[in-house]
Structure formats: structure tokens, C-alpha cells
């Protein structure tokens, strides 16, 4: 069969335009495609909640791809082992309670779970601002193409509406900092020293609605709270993503 190049181009433009229009209003927008955002998205999607994951980079996976110092392995502790099982991620027990898995497999399986759960992905898309109107809630995201941001071009953005936003942007806690920068009473303390045990224990407590309509998860939750960092152990990221999904589902009555 000969192939029509214009049909190929038209298929992509038409399909992605349809998806973008469909997601101009959604239940939950997850900002950041690292482990916490992916776990959260997959578990929200499994509950039939309409959600999209917005990732500024070309590839999904955030800091999980790199494992520990570019060794593509991650460690997950006992408390989160059931989530490795849930997502079908293989692991080996290195020492009692310390499980080691391939970071490539972990990212791939989490991403596949989110895709299977009906989550839409908008990659190469940067969240540059949020929408807050009269009710004082974060009710939408201001987005632009990452290459536009990188080139410093003056191109105005689009806005997507959502009932809840999840800040899963990792160390930088980007969405929280955007809200803080507007002179609100939200204060982002910044992450503390390396202390894995404490960081991993406290992350669930920090996974919460930090501003009306805005929930923070993963490393961003610890960064907002001034909590410690943990290095390449990822159980807390998965548990925090799961907790954020449960919290938002409950608020949505689902
Ligand atoms: C769209 C954005 C924007 C934006 C950033 O860093 P991540 O992997 O985040 P977590 O919290 O799921 O996982 C943290 C983990 O990877 C880690 O770094 C750990 C455990 N560190 C411990 C330590 O001691 O160092 O992913 C965040 C994602 C990235 O993919 C960014 O590209 C993306 O968010 N992102 N997406 N719009 N404005 N800002
Ligand atoms: Fe990190």
C-alpha cells in the first residue's frame, strides 16, 4: 500500500486536538510524571476519575529513570512492597526489608498502568501558572509548550480547568511555589538534609491539600514542609502518590 503523508499528519493533529479539547475540563490534573505523579495518576484513573498528567519533559519518569547516581536501580522498603506487586514490578530482596528493582522497569510499568487506567499524557508541556478566581481555589492550570519556555519566546499560554490539581513536580515544588509567589499565605519551606528514615516516614503526613484545590505529593510534599530528603529510595514516592489519589478521590466523592 502506498501511504499518504498528509493523512498521517492529519491523523495526529486531529486526534491530539480532540484529546486536548476533551481535557480542557477534567477532574484532576497531575503536574509531573515522576514516580509519585505516575502512581497517583494510575490509581485515580483506575477509579474512573478523568485525569491527565502534564509533564514538561519529552519522557515520563522524572527522577526515577536515573536510579541512584545513574545506576538504573531503585530501592523500595517493606512498607511499599505491596505497591511493587500491585504494579507488577519485579524486585529482589537485598537485605531484610530492602527491595531493589530496575528503574527502567519501574517507570515503564507505572506508565503502562496509568495508560491502561485511561490517563491522558501531555508531555513537552510546562505548567507556568495556575488559575484562582473568586472562590479562592486553584481551579485550573496555565500551560505552554516547553520549547516555547526554553527558547524564551513570547507566546501566550492556554488554560485547562480542573477540580483538583496535584503538584508532583519533585524537589522544586513548582506549583506550590507559583501559588506562594502570588503573595498568598502558602509558604514553601524547602527540603531539609538527607535523612532517609525520617523523610520516608513523614512524607504521608505532608501529602495534603496545601491550598484550596491543590494537593502536593512526592518529593514536593517534603519540600513544601521543610522535611528531609531520602536519596534513591522510592517507597515513599509510591505511597505518597497512592495517598494523594485516595485523598482526592474522597474529596470528589468517588
Ligand atoms: C510540568 C513539570 C514541571 C512543570 C517539573 O522529580 P520527580 O521524579 O518527582 P517525584 O516527587 O515523583 O519523585 C522524586 C524522586 O524522583 C526523587 O527525586 C527523589 C526520591 N529524591 C530523593 C533525593 O534525596 O534526591 O518528577 C517530577 C516531574 C519531572 O518529570 C519534571 O520534569 C516535572 O515533574 N515537572 N512538569 N510542568 N512546571 N516542573
Ligand atoms: Fe531526588
Amino acid at each position: 500500500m502506498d501511504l499518504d503523508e498528509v493523512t498521517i499528519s492529519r491523523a495526529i493533529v486531529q486526534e491530539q486536538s480532540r484529546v486536548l479539547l476533551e481535557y480542557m475540563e477534567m477532574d484532576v490534573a497531575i503536574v509531573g510524571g515522576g514516580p509519585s505523579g505516575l502512581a497517583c495518576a494510575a490509581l485515580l484513573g483506575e477509579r474512573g476519575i478523568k485525569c491527565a498528567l502534564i509533564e514538561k519533559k519529552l519522557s515520563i519518569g522524572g527522577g526515577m529513570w536515573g536510579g541512584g547516581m545513574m545506576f538504573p536501580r531503585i530501592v523500595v522498603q517493606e512498607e511499599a512492597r505491596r505497591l511493587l506487586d500491585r504494579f507488577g514490578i519485579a524486585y529482589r530482596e537485598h537485605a531484610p526489608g530492602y527491595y531493589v528493582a530496575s528503574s527502567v522497569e519501574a517507570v515503564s510499568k507505572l506508565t503502562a498502568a496509568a495508560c491502561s487506567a485511561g490517563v491522558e499524557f501531555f508531555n513537552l508541556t510546562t505548567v507556568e501558572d495556575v488559575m484562582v478566581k473568586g472562590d479562592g481555589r486553584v481551579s485550573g492550570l496555565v500551560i505552554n509548550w516547553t520549547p516555547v519556555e526554553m527558547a524564551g519566546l513570547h507566546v501566550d499560554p492556554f488554560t485547562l480547568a480542573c477540580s483538583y490539581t496535584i503538584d508532583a513536580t519533585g524537589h522544586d515544588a513548582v506549583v506550590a511555589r507559583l501559588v506562594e509567589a502570588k503573595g498568598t499565605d502558602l509558604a514553601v519551606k524547602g527540603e531539609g538534609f538527607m535523612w532517609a528514615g525520617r523523610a520516608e516516614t513523614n512524607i504521608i503526613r505532608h501529602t495534603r491539600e496545601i491550598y484550596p484545590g491543590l494537593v502536593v505529593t512526592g518529593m514536593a510534599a517534603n519540600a513544601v514542609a521543610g522535611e528531609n530528603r531520602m536519596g534513591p529510595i522510592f517507597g515513599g514516592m509510591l505511597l505518597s502518590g497512592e495517598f494523594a489519589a485516595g485523598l482526592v478521590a474522597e474529596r470528589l466523592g468517588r
Side-chain angles (χ1 to χ4, degrees):
M1 149 189 190
D2 193 13
L3 294 168
D4 179 45
E5 294 78 3
V6 174
T7 300
I8 296 168
S9 305
R10 191 180 283 123
I12 290 170
V13 172
Q14 200 163 310
E15 179 63 4
Q16 192 60 13
S17 299
R18 180 189 69 74
V19 171
L20 183 56
L21 284 169
E22 194 183 323
Y23 280 80
M24 291 229 155
E25 291 176 323
M26 65 185 121
D27 295 326
V28 186
I30 298 135
V31 188
S36 65
L38 281 171
C40 183
L43 298 171
L44 284 169
E46 281 176 17
R47 292 179 201 236
I49 292 168
K50 181 178 176 183
C51 59
L53 191 151
I54 298 161
E55 168 54 53
K56 80 172 180 190
K57 298 212 169 125
L58 176 57
S59 59
I60 303 299
M64 209 184 214
W65 276 127
M69 219 176 122
M70 302 202 308
F71 284 51
R73 300 281 152 188
I74 56 161
V75 171
V76 167
Q77 67 275 41
E78 187 61 51
E79 289 82 353
R81 177 156 72 125
R82 61 181 176 78
L83 288 170
L84 293 177
D85 291 331
R86 193 181 206 290
F87 292 112
I89 301 165
Y91 53 84
R92 287 160 59 89
E93 188 171 29
H94 169 77
Y98 292 75
Y99 302 94
V100 62
S102 150
S103 62
V104 173
E105 181 179 354
V107 170
S108 306
K109 297 258 170 91
L110 286 166
T111 308
C115 290
S116 301
V119 175
E120 278 297 342
F121 287 84
F122 296 97
N123 64 338
L124 288 172
T125 305
T126 294
V127 171
E128 62 166 54
D129 207 346
V130 297
M131 177 164 72
V132 177
K133 304 214 287 189
D135 63 1
R137 283 178 63 79
V138 174
S139 56
L141 296 179
V142 180
I143 59 165
N144 215 327
W145 301 120
T146 302
V148 164
E149 290 254 324
M150 289 170 74
L153 302 174
H154 186 163
V155 178
D156 276 350
F158 281 156
T159 304
L160 308 176
C162 49
S163 303
Y164 275 93
T165 296
I166 299 192
D167 184 349
T169 58
H171 293 271
D172 296 337
V174 175
V175 186
R177 286 196 192 273
L178 284 169
V179 172
E180 179 188 42
K182 304 290 183 187
T184 61
D185 56 8
L186 177 62
V188 179
K189 293 189 181 154
E191 76 194 35
F193 294 116
M194 179 72 82
W195 186 348
R198 218 170 104 156
E200 290 286 286
T201 302
N202 291 338
I203 193 166
I204 296 299
R205 186 156 53 80
H206 302 314
T207 303
R208 60 185 189 88
E209 190 168 359
I210 52 171
Y211 197 80
L214 176 63
V215 168
V216 68
T217 186
M219 196 59 220
N222 277 13
V224 169
E227 184 58 80
N228 298 94
R229 62 187 298 189
M230 67 293 286
I233 182 160
F234 284 79
M237 299 302 123
L238 303 177
L239 291 165
S240 172
E242 177 189 49
F243 190 80
L247 191 145
V248 169
E250 194 187 303
R251 302 273 160 97
L252 290 170
R254 308 280 276 277

